[in-house]
Amino acid sequence: MNFAFGSTEITAFWLTLKLALSTTLILMLFCIPLAWWLAKSKSWFAMLVESIVALPIVLPPTVLGFYLLIAFSPQTLLGEHYQALTGQQLAFSFYGILFASLIYSLPFAIQPLQATFSQLDKRLIETAQSLGARPLDCFISVVLPICKNGIISAALLCFAHTVGEFGVILMIGGNIPGETQVLSIALFDAVESLQYEKAHNMAAGLLIFSMVILIIMNMLKRGQQRATD
Amino acid sequence: MNFAFGSTEITAFWLTLKLALSTTLILMLFCIPLAWWLAKSKSWFAMLVESIVALPIVLPPTVLGFYLLIAFSPQTLLGEHYQALTGQQLAFSFYGILFASLIYSLPFAIQPLQATFSQLDKRLIETAQSLGARPLDCFISVVLPICKNGIISAALLCFAHTVGEFGVILMIGGNIPGETQVLSIALFDAVESLQYEKAHNMAAGLLIFSMVILIIMNMLKRGQQRATD
Amino acid sequence: TPLRVAVASNFKLPLSEIINQYQENTGNEVSISSASSGILYQQIKAGAPYDVFLSADELRPDLLIKNDLAYENSKVIYAVGILAFYSPNKKVILNELKQSDNDKIKISIANPLHAPYGLAAKNILQELFQNIEVFKGTFITSNNIASTFQIVHSGNAPAGFVALSHIISTKVPRQDYQILSSDKAKVPQAAVILKRSKDKAAAKKFLTYLSSPEAIHQIIGYGYEVVKPITVEKI
Amino acid sequence: MLQIDCSIKLNQKIFKYKHHFELKNRCIGISGDSGCGKTTLLRIIAGLETNAQGNIKLNNEALQLSDENFIKPAFKRDIGFVFQDTRLFPHLTVLGNLKYALKRATTVKFSLEKVVEAFSLTPLLQRKPLMLSGGEKHRVAIARAILSSPQLLLMDEPLSGLDSAQKVELLKYLKYIKTQFDLSIIYVSHIEDELKTLSDEIIYLN
Amino acid sequence: MLQIDCSIKLNQKIFKYKHHFELKNRCIGISGDSGCGKTTLLRIIAGLETNAQGNIKLNNEALQLSDENFIKPAFKRDIGFVFQDTRLFPHLTVLGNLKYALKRATTVKFSLEKVVEAFSLTPLLQRKPLMLSGGEKHRVAIARAILSSPQLLLMDEPLSGLDSAQKVELLKYLKYIKTQFDLSIIYVSHIEDELKTLSDEIIYLN
Ligand SMILES: Nc1ncnc2c1ncn2[C@@H]1O[C@H](COP(=O)(O)OP(=O)(O)OP(=O)(O)O)[C@@H](O)[C@H]1O
Ligand SMILES: Nc1ncnc2c1ncn2[C@@H]1O[C@H](COP(=O)(O)OP(=O)(O)OP(=O)(O)O)[C@@H](O)[C@H]1O
Ligand code: MOO
Ligand SMILES: [Mg+2]
Ligand SMILES: [Mg+2]
């Protein structure tokens, strides 16, 4: 435990960036196919999956964290297998908070993706097929570029949401610098311990950093839009 | 206050429902026009607004709550005017947490809406104009129904996100039964005070309730989809 | 309107019971708002409509008094929290901790930066090991003492410095914990009456009730100690 | 009477239009090579090309005066448009599409029943556009534009998807309503026959 | 050789197709009233109507055998389609659309340059579809389908947006590639002239 200040914030910043990027990347890879299936399928099963996948938003983060804590403990299947496989504990590790972030941000990736996909003109898919494009090819060459805006939107929500994530990580992170002490936790710590100036500085930094990311993403979106019109 | 179990949760449940419905309704009314403007406008100003509007997600909820608490205090402009106008305090009141929820959930409404709108076929708007539809008429009779899925998605995210909202309300709500003690706070209280059974029951109830809402919303979406195809 | 009491979350359970009795005896209504002492403190500074504040430490009530938000002579120590070393099945024995355990054994602890129980734990460790910096990789810091307990209780850490009150209210078997009797393991919890209270008399009456034999019985039953009979001076 | 003196730049190329059409219950046919700017002309008249510069007057009422920075918005111009790519509203049934136009007509000159009959749309009324054949879509698009009862109707290759029998019949119908219902038409087509049958005057753009 | 014995239910109505087309470097013209099921026939052949029941064989290779629950997916059928509503990819330029087809051709029979020249697409190559005129879109759609070098090319009223000069020229070109490049065509149109110029056999559906 590091009781000294200073480089704490910088470590926390990099950790946050790493966590947010990993979460966004993994969620996009996983959710794009899932959302596509959800948008196309009309079955009751798909509807059920869609609803389940949205559930993590309604659980207060700290409560979600509490249940994850129980799920991560070495007595459970998940915790036990993870420990057997890696020799490490899931809670209080980077992979633990990554896992939690994935669950927590899942709905924010799925929802916009699905809305985008369901709006796609299905005739263009027929066209790609008639030109000999296999399903995956068609998806990559037609669906993804046309739905670019929705995908960027989903990635944006995921990223920002993970940066601001707090309650879950508070529960299962253990506040370990360089491993689980993300910016949001460090910031809250500062508020709690009455170090207001430090808190204000960090909040300002977080906002400026996020603003930059958001502006870049929005520029991408707008650039794309202009070209399509 | 009633210490017998049961009625606390029921009060909290109704309060949560009221808060989530109000937030969703107000945000939809406000964000639909805003998102439409954002999706259409290519100006730098719009891009800036878009990025600012997304900021609340990156601030950890408790930290956002901390700053709102400062903003709400009767020493500030906002707090002072509110108190002068209503004779009441903004923090620790239902309107206070409603205001906070609105800010907190804003990005979750804007993002999917904007993605949806930007995907709309602009030729249909020209068509409506040529048939004599005024801009508002055109928006209501063409844009909204065609973008229904994205709008439902946005409403869903807002609603669910408000139900699960925690950190902000904890900060500025003050945990007052019937006024600001929403379900998520009551649930956290139960966890904090080690009343696990109570916590499990409430979490289960929350999940079932949300599941029902989500399934209904998804049915609406799917029904709509089927009819359009 | 009921009397509004803001209570640090670690004391919410005993307080609920005490208030049940209090309402029965006096007919006066009391409502509870609970959160961590840190959050309650922020809220009070922002004008929260509480009458009485039961903190988990002495620092925050003192700060409120300094800021002229609470009556100086209303401050009382309503309970003294006791730190315990909790390790199910005695996986870790406190006195046998070695520097070589660093990184291998995880110990749950409340954040000493702002949680009073965390500070107490840090002090104890310092007393035992002088230089605790060598245990860098050992500690898992939580934001409050309830999560500190939950982390051990759920099996995610083999041991932790927790509040005795949590051990007692979850009926942890006696062999799984060790009560730390050093003075440094004590956490005096102070209460104050807030200046914005509209009903000082009721607040005072309630605070006085906290030192009644019935209340003390409850407080002790939950694993706290009390200091000399508390009296609320004239305010 | 329609006076146009406009120009517009598309893809670095400037398209210039200087025309004076006598309209009153007449049909002006417009032909010209593909890509010569026929659709663009109609779009300018309808007010859909906001980048156009110049002046337009319809029956002495100004639709656009660039000098005065005046441009009447499309929805206020009493001008109907049958688009080359039909553009039916996908969320409405055929009936919904027709009613959409009818409700927004400034003066209702046509009855829904009569138009539905003239275009043989009865069996299609409850269908969504995605369930229509190419020719069916074109018929609905024309019927919809007529039901909005415009002063001037712009038609961009409206009969391209129809079979010969239907073409003959609809041309007859258009001729009939043109004189009976005080309607002026500007009709773009590549097909000489159609143009000759309907138009009182044919103009070749290039 | 194409053997079809299929039926499909659309809007409670059953469309039945029982045909035997000799294809080898030939063009089959198809005509019929609007809404009689021409597009539907092409869609079934292309494998885009998954609800169709029955059997289809192309040059003795099965495309669909309902008894054996076999249906060859559209992307595996070596069949090109010029859609009535063009369907250019909006996110790609004209060149992008053409290359899209070229890249996915199983055997490349046509060179991009030659086709671009034959359809006079050079000035359009860098434009997005939204910036094209109606006729230009149709030309790109035909060129794209040809560049995918299919064994069989299905064309649904492909020349409807073009001017007469272009029509004549493109019909000539289609005739030329049909014989030179081992291509079979099924050509749907309402216009007798077109059908007669191109087709070796004309079939009237109803
Ligand atoms: N939105 C646009 N942006 C840029 N250029 C455009 C746009 N729309 C059309 N053009 C170009 O302007 C020219 C005229 O187009 P227009 O649609 O008016 O032609 P047209 O005479 O209607 O042709 P057709 O008979 O093929 O429909 C064409 O070369 C076209 O490529
Ligand atoms: N997806 C669909 N669902 C239900 N009915 C459809 C669908 N597509 C077409 N139809 C109907 O099936 C019939 C045949 O349609 P098809 O598109 O094959 O006609 P077509 O011969 O190509 O006509 P056209 O010459 O007008 O293009 C039409 O009456 C049409 O309304
Ligand atoms: O009740 Mo506390 O302030 O979290 O120990
Ligand atoms: Mg045109
Ligand atoms: Mg057709």
Side-chain angles (χ1 to χ4, degrees):
Chain A
M1 188 157 48
N2 190 355
F3 286 111
F5 292 173
S7 68
T8 327
E9 289 90 331
I10 294 166
T11 315
F13 172 83
W14 285 116
L15 185 67
T16 305
L17 196 65
K18 182 173 147 198
L19 181 70
L21 283 179
S22 316
T23 305
T24 309
L25 207 76
I26 295 173
L27 273 185
M28 285 295 120
L29 285 178
F30 171 71
C31 290
I32 287 177
L34 180 59
W36 176 243
W37 174 69
L38 287 175
K40 287 210 320 182
S41 170
K42 281 160 188 164
S43 70
W44 282 86
F45 178 63
M47 205 192 66
L48 200 73
V49 170
E50 187 175 342
S51 305
I52 290 175
V53 140
L55 274 186
I57 348 180
V58 300
L59 273 189
T62 11
V63 174
L64 185 63
F66 171 65
Y67 285 108
L68 282 178
L69 196 62
I70 293 176
F72 282 2
S73 86
Q75 285 95 290
T76 65
L77 268 183
L78 175 68
E80 191 189 325
H81 279 91
Y82 185 84
Q83 195 141 21
L85 276 172
T86 63
Q88 293 214 306
Q89 206 181 352
L90 197 45
F92 321 120
S93 73
F94 178 75
Y95 293 104
I97 60 173
L98 178 60
F99 182 87
S101 295
L102 290 175
I103 291 185
Y104 185 45
S105 290
L106 180 64
F108 299 92
I110 287 281
Q111 285 289 338
L113 287 176
Q114 203 187 327
T116 299
F117 288 151
S118 74
Q119 235 178 321
L120 184 80
D121 188 346
K122 278 136 206 120
R123 289 176 301 174
L124 294 176
I125 296 173
E126 285 187 350
T127 310
Q129 287 178 339
S130 85
L131 292 170
R134 298 173 166 270
L136 184 65
D137 178 7
C138 165
F139 189 72
I140 293 171
S141 61
V142 176
V143 179
L144 291 189
I146 291 182
C147 296
K148 200 170 182 174
N149 268 0
I151 294 172
I152 293 181
S153 217
L156 211 83
L157 280 177
C158 265
F159 185 89
H161 194 241
T162 309
V163 169
E165 183 176 332
F166 167 78
V168 183
I169 299 188
L170 188 68
M171 277 311 235
I172 61 158
N175 211 350
I176 300 168
E179 179 95 4
T180 60
Q181 192 187 56
V182 292
L183 221 49
S184 58
I185 302 277
L187 181 45
F188 183 64
D189 266 5
V191 169
E192 277 274 271
S193 50
L194 312 179
Q195 299 171 297
Y196 293 137
E197 193 155 351
K198 194 174 161 196
H200 295 328
N201 287 343
M202 284 172 84
L206 194 59
L207 282 179
I208 291 170
F209 165 68
S210 307
M211 194 77 193
V212 170
I213 297 264
L214 289 171
I215 286 182
I216 292 174
M217 293 285 244
N218 283 334
M219 268 166 60
L220 277 183
K221 253 185 0 194
R222 251 151 237 279
Q224 169 63 12
Q225 236 171 359
R226 198 171 282 145
T228 317
D229 287 350
Chain B
M1 184 160 130
N2 191 345
F3 282 106
F5 282 2
S7 90
T8 325
E9 288 90 330
I10 293 168
T11 315
F13 172 83
W14 285 115
L15 186 67
T16 305
L17 197 64
K18 184 173 146 198
L19 181 71
L21 283 178
S22 317
T23 305
T24 308
L25 207 76
I26 295 173
L27 273 186
M28 285 296 120
L29 286 178
F30 171 72
C31 291
I32 286 177
L34 180 60
W36 177 241
W37 174 69
L38 288 176
K40 286 211 320 183
S41 170
K42 281 160 188 164
S43 71
W44 281 85
F45 178 62
M47 204 191 66
L48 200 73
V49 170
E50 187 175 342
S51 304
I52 289 176
V53 139
L55 274 187
I57 350 180
V58 301
L59 273 190
T62 10
V63 173
L64 183 63
F66 170 64
Y67 284 107
L68 282 178
L69 202 57
I70 293 177
F72 283 2
S73 82
Q75 287 95 288
T76 66
L77 268 183
L78 175 68
E80 191 189 326
H81 279 90
Y82 186 85
Q83 194 141 20
L85 275 173
T86 63
Q88 293 215 302
Q89 204 182 354
L90 192 48
F92 318 112
S93 73
F94 178 74
Y95 293 105
I97 60 171
L98 178 59
F99 183 88
S101 295
L102 290 175
I103 291 186
Y104 185 46
S105 291
L106 181 64
F108 299 91
I110 287 282
Q111 284 289 339
L113 286 175
Q114 202 188 327
T116 298
F117 288 152
S118 74
Q119 235 178 322
L120 184 80
D121 187 346
K122 278 136 205 120
R123 290 175 301 174
L124 294 176
I125 295 173
E126 285 187 351
T127 310
Q129 287 177 340
S130 85
L131 291 170
R134 293 168 172 274
L136 184 65
D137 178 7
C138 165
F139 189 72
I140 292 170
S141 61
V142 176
V143 179
L144 291 190
I146 291 182
C147 297
K148 201 169 182 174
N149 268 0
I151 294 171
I152 293 182
S153 219
L156 211 84
L157 279 176
C158 266
F159 185 89
H161 194 241
T162 311
V163 168
E165 183 176 334
F166 163 78
V168 183
I169 298 188
L170 183 70
M171 262 327 216
I172 63 156
N175 208 351
I176 299 167
E179 179 95 2
T180 60
Q181 192 185 59
V182 292
L183 220 49
S184 60
I185 304 276
L187 181 44
F188 181 64
D189 253 16
V191 169
E192 279 274 274
S193 50
L194 310 182
Q195 298 170 294
Y196 292 141
E197 194 156 349
K198 195 174 161 196
H200 296 330
N201 288 342
M202 284 172 84
L206 193 60
L207 283 180
I208 290 169
F209 165 69
S210 307
M211 193 78 194
V212 170
I213 298 263
L214 289 170
I215 287 182
I216 292 173
M217 294 283 245
N218 283 334
M219 267 165 62
L220 276 182
K221 250 181 8 187
R222 251 150 236 280
Q224 169 62 11
Q225 237 173 359
R226 199 171 281 146
T228 317
D229 288 350
Chain C
T1 53
L3 187 74
R4 285 194 168 141
V5 177
V7 61
S9 22
N10 72 76
F11 198 68
K12 187 188 175 188
L13 226 44
L15 187 72
S16 309
E17 307 246 344
I18 293 168
I19 284 177
N20 274 344
Q21 292 174 358
Y22 181 69
Q23 289 187 140
E24 252 169 54
N25 294 347
T26 64
N28 296 347
E29 271 201 77
V30 180
S31 101
I32 292 187
S33 294
S34 69
S36 78
S37 313
I39 287 176
L40 293 172
Y41 170 76
Q42 309 289 1
Q43 291 176 338
I44 291 165
K45 273 184 63 180
Y50 306 135
D51 298 288
V52 178
F53 173 39
L54 304 190
S55 181
D57 59 6
E58 281 187 274
L59 171 69
R60 288 179 174 81
D62 286 342
L63 280 174
L64 289 176
I65 290 167
K66 209 170 109 196
N67 287 319
D68 208 24
L69 289 167
Y71 294 106
E72 180 169 10
N73 47 10
S74 70
K75 182 185 157 192
V76 293
I77 306 294
Y78 63 93
V80 178
I82 296 171
L83 203 61
F85 187 74
Y86 172 29
S87 180
N89 305 320
K90 293 212 171 70
K91 271 181 235 137
V92 181
I93 297 176
L94 183 56
N95 295 311
E96 293 171 8
L97 254 158
K98 296 183 297 287
Q99 185 184 338
S100 57
D101 294 333
N102 189 15
D103 269 331
K104 274 181 241 141
I105 293 175
K106 296 265 182 254
I107 294 182
S108 177
I109 180 175
N111 196 332
L113 279 180
H114 51 75
Y117 285 90
L119 192 62
K122 188 185 163 192
N123 291 339
I124 289 278
L125 283 164
Q126 216 115 40
E127 193 175 76
L128 281 173
F129 302 104
Q130 285 77 46
N131 178 17
I132 65 162
E133 292 294 323
V134 296
F135 291 115
K136 242 182 178 190
T138 306
F139 299 111
I140 291 158
T141 340
S142 315
N143 202 54
N144 65 32
I145 195 66
S147 342
T148 311
F149 176 80
Q150 277 153 2
I151 284 169
V152 184
H153 197 60
S154 63
N156 281 289
F161 288 92
V162 304
L164 181 63
S165 60
H166 288 146
I167 290 214
I168 294 203
S169 51
T170 43
K171 306 192 173 65
V172 172
R174 185 62 190 84
Q175 69 273 14
D176 282 358
Y177 63 92
Q178 170 191 352
I179 296 177
L180 301 171
S181 48
S182 151
D183 263 358
K184 291 195 170 152
K186 305 253 155 91
V187 181
Q189 307 199 165
V192 280
I193 295 175
L194 300 173
K195 286 211 168 153
R196 79 186 303 285
S197 170
K198 294 202 180 76
D199 197 348
K200 267 171 269 171
K204 199 174 144 189
K205 187 172 166 199
F206 174 74
L207 217 48
T208 313
Y209 183 78
L210 282 183
S211 60
S212 69
E214 299 96 322
I216 287 176
H217 180 75
Q218 285 288 353
I219 294 173
I220 290 174
Y222 269 95
Y224 294 89
E225 288 176 355
V226 287
V227 284
K228 59 191 169 203
I230 54 174
T231 47
V232 183
E233 296 166 33
K234 264 211 190 88
I235 51 176
Chain D
M1 206 183 57
L2 181 68
Q3 288 161 286
I4 302 181
D5 184 0
C6 269
S7 70
I8 186 170
K9 196 170 164 188
L10 291 174
N11 273 310
Q12 341 290 11
K13 232 174 92 182
I14 293 177
F15 292 80
K16 278 203 169 128
Y17 300 97
K18 200 161 184 165
H19 301 281
H20 187 125
F21 301 129
E22 202 50 65
L23 282 177
K24 190 72 189 162
N25 299 359
R26 290 175 86 230
C27 174
I28 312 289
I30 294 186
S31 187
D33 294 348
S34 170
C36 72
K38 302 179 296 296
T39 300
T40 306
L41 172 61
L42 298 192
R43 288 174 58 82
I44 292 176
I45 297 172
L48 298 176
E49 287 292 351
T50 41
N51 289 326
Q53 290 295 317
N55 303 322
I56 313 174
K57 277 186 185 177
L58 177 61
N59 299 333
N60 285 322
E61 184 206 1
L63 297 184
Q64 176 165 0
L65 297 174
S66 282
D67 297 338
E68 301 177 23
N69 235 331
F70 169 79
I71 180 159
K72 195 172 183 178
F75 62 87
K76 282 191 188 156
R77 303 187 183 189
D78 198 12
I79 296 178
F81 205 136
V82 181
F83 294 93
Q84 211 167 349
D85 48 359
T86 69
R87 306 195 184 179
L88 302 182
F89 294 123
H91 61 297
L92 299 176
T93 59
V94 169
L95 185 62
N97 269 279
L98 298 179
K99 281 191 173 161
Y100 191 97
L102 196 62
K103 265 189 220 154
R104 285 157 185 87
T106 34
T107 49
V108 177
K109 298 194 229 165
F110 303 92
S111 90
L112 185 63
E113 292 72 31
K114 290 232 173 94
V115 174
V116 165
E117 202 195 304
F119 287 81
S120 327
L121 298 179
T122 317
L124 310 179
L125 288 177
Q126 299 312 324
R127 294 208 211 148
K128 290 272 173 90
L130 269 173
M131 297 161 74
L132 298 180
S133 82
E136 287 163 352
K137 273 185 221 158
H138 271 100
R139 267 149 57 206
V140 179
I142 305 172
R144 185 178 65 175
I146 287 176
L147 280 170
S148 77
S149 301
Q151 206 182 341
L152 170 62
L153 182 60
L154 309 174
M155 304 181 85
D156 201 355
E157 309 191 27
L159 304 184
S160 60
L162 304 187
D163 60 56
S164 355
Q166 283 179 343
K167 260 187 205 173
V168 172
E169 210 166 305
L170 286 185
L171 280 173
K172 225 187 280 173
Y173 180 74
L174 285 173
K175 248 185 135 132
Y176 160 74
I177 59 168
K178 181 183 73 170
T179 44
Q180 293 295 309
F181 290 94
D182 187 28
L183 188 73
S184 313
I185 299 179
I186 298 182
Y187 189 98
V188 169
S189 174
H190 289 297
I191 301 177
E192 284 293 316
D193 279 357
E194 288 181 22
L195 285 171
K196 282 190 185 136
T197 314
L198 191 62
S199 316
D200 303 287
E201 181 185 345
I202 302 180
I203 288 178
Y204 293 89
L205 290 185
N206 44 36
Chain E
M1 205 184 56
L2 182 67
Q3 288 160 287
I4 301 181
D5 183 0
C6 269
S7 70
I8 187 169
K9 197 170 162 186
L10 293 173
N11 274 308
Q12 342 290 9
K13 232 174 90 183
I14 293 176
F15 291 82
K16 278 205 167 130
Y17 301 97
K18 201 162 180 162
H19 301 282
H20 188 125
F21 301 130
E22 202 49 64
L23 283 178
K24 191 69 188 163
N25 298 358
R26 292 175 85 228
C27 173
I28 313 289
I30 295 186
S31 187
D33 293 347
S34 170
C36 72
K38 303 180 294 296
T39 300
T40 306
L41 172 60
L42 298 192
R43 287 174 59 80
I44 292 176
I45 296 173
L48 299 175
E49 287 292 351
T50 40
N51 290 325
Q53 290 294 317
N55 304 320
I56 313 176
K57 278 188 184 175
L58 176 62
N59 299 334
N60 285 322
E61 184 207 1
L63 297 184
Q64 177 165 1
L65 297 173
S66 282
D67 297 339
E68 300 177 23
N69 234 331
F70 169 79
I71 179 159
K72 196 172 183 177
F75 63 86
K76 282 192 187 156
R77 303 187 183 188
D78 197 11
I79 295 178
F81 205 137
V82 181
F83 294 93
Q84 212 168 347
D85 47 359
T86 69
R87 307 195 184 179
L88 302 183
F89 294 122
H91 61 296
L92 299 177
T93 59
V94 169
L95 185 61
N97 269 279
L98 298 179
K99 280 192 174 161
Y100 192 97
L102 197 62
K103 265 189 218 152
R104 285 157 185 88
T106 35
T107 50
V108 177
K109 297 193 230 167
F110 302 93
S111 90
L112 185 63
E113 291 72 32
K114 290 232 172 93
V115 173
V116 164
E117 202 196 304
F119 287 81
S120 327
L121 298 179
T122 318
L124 310 179
L125 287 178
Q126 298 312 324
R127 296 208 210 146
K128 289 272 173 91
L130 269 173
M131 296 161 74
L132 299 180
S133 82
E136 288 163 352
K137 274 185 219 157
H138 271 100
R139 268 150 56 206
V140 178
I142 304 171
R144 184 177 65 174
I146 287 175
L147 280 171
S148 78
S149 302
Q151 205 181 345
L152 169 62
L153 182 59
L154 308 175
M155 305 181 86
D156 201 355
E157 308 191 28
L159 304 184
S160 60
L162 304 187
D163 60 56
S164 354
Q166 283 179 342
K167 260 188 206 175
V168 172
E169 210 167 305
L170 286 187
L171 281 173
K172 226 188 280 171
Y173 181 73
L174 286 174
K175 248 185 133 132
Y176 161 74
I177 59 168
K178 182 183 72 170
T179 45
Q180 294 295 308
F181 289 94
D182 187 27
L183 187 72
S184 313
I185 300 179
I186 298 182
Y187 189 98
V188 169
S189 174
H190 289 298
I191 300 177
E192 284 294 316
D193 278 359
E194 288 181 22
L195 285 171
K196 282 190 185 137
T197 314
L198 192 62
S199 315
D200 303 286
E201 180 185 346
I202 301 180
I203 290 178
Y204 294 89
L205 290 186
N206 44 35

